[in-house]
Amino acid sequence: QVQLVESGGGLVQPGGSLRLSCAASGFTGSRYAMSWHRQVRGKERELVAAITSYGGSTSYADSVKGRFTISRDNAKNTVYLQMNALKPEDTAVYYCNAVLRTDLRIVYWGQGTQVTVSS
């Protein structure tokens, strides 16, 4: 059974940092492109950052470029999102996503972790 479990969310002051983790089980991580998305209640879910299956390429939303870094450790089947210089507008539920690179119809989501940036 495939499972994605996010962790690392919490309350942080503006300008602070958090590192989110997404631990995957039930599949071989290197077969999947991974990404982080976020959603504010009442708004659409948006893509924050993505990384290819072996980590050779990454991409970011303009709103987080230069502040967030996505990385992965396929040996641990884990994807990370390092978030620095956090702003109140980064407050959201953050979700981990996996897409099978050979069949884009195969998609998995985690349950989400809350990130709140507030003083």
Side-chain angles (χ1 to χ4, degrees), residues 28-111:
T28 303
S30 60
R31 298 176 61 198
Y32 290 78
M34 304 289 291
S35 58
W36 286 94
H37 302 245
R38 66 187 181 187
Q39 187 169 24
V40 176
R41 185 176 297 180
K43 295 188 177 181
E44 290 188 0
R45 192 172 296 187
E46 64 171 348
L47 176 64
V48 175
I51 188 166
T52 51
S53 57
Y54 286 96
S57 180
T58 59
S59 60
Y60 299 91
D62 287 342
S63 58
V64 306
K65 279 181 183 176
R67 300 188 298 122
F68 290 11
T69 303
I70 188 171
S71 61
R72 66 189 298 162
D73 183 341
N74 284 345
K76 296 181 179 179
N77 262 4
T78 302
V79 176
Y80 306 97
L81 184 68
Q82 178 66 44
M83 305 186 294
N84 299 328
L86 283 161
K87 304 175 181 179
E89 51 264 43
D90 294 318
T91 296
V93 179
Y94 283 71
Y95 296 91
C96 179
N97 168 277
V99 178
L100 182 62
R101 58 185 171 88
T102 56
D103 186 347
L104 302 184
R105 298 169 298 177
I106 306 300
V107 180
Y108 299 102
W109 290 93
Q111 83 289 347

Side-chain angles (χ1 to χ4, degrees), residues 2-44:
V2 174
Q3 192 172 20
L4 302 177
V5 179
E6 301 98 333
S7 62
L11 174 64
V12 63
Q13 292 187 343
S17 298
L18 282 175
R19 189 175 83 152
L20 304 183
S21 298
C22 172
S25 60
F27 66 57
T28 303
S30 60
R31 298 176 61 198
Y32 290 78
M34 304 289 291
S35 58
W36 286 94
H37 302 245
R38 66 187 181 187
Q39 187 169 24
V40 176
R41 185 176 297 180
K43 295 188 177 181
E44 290 188 0

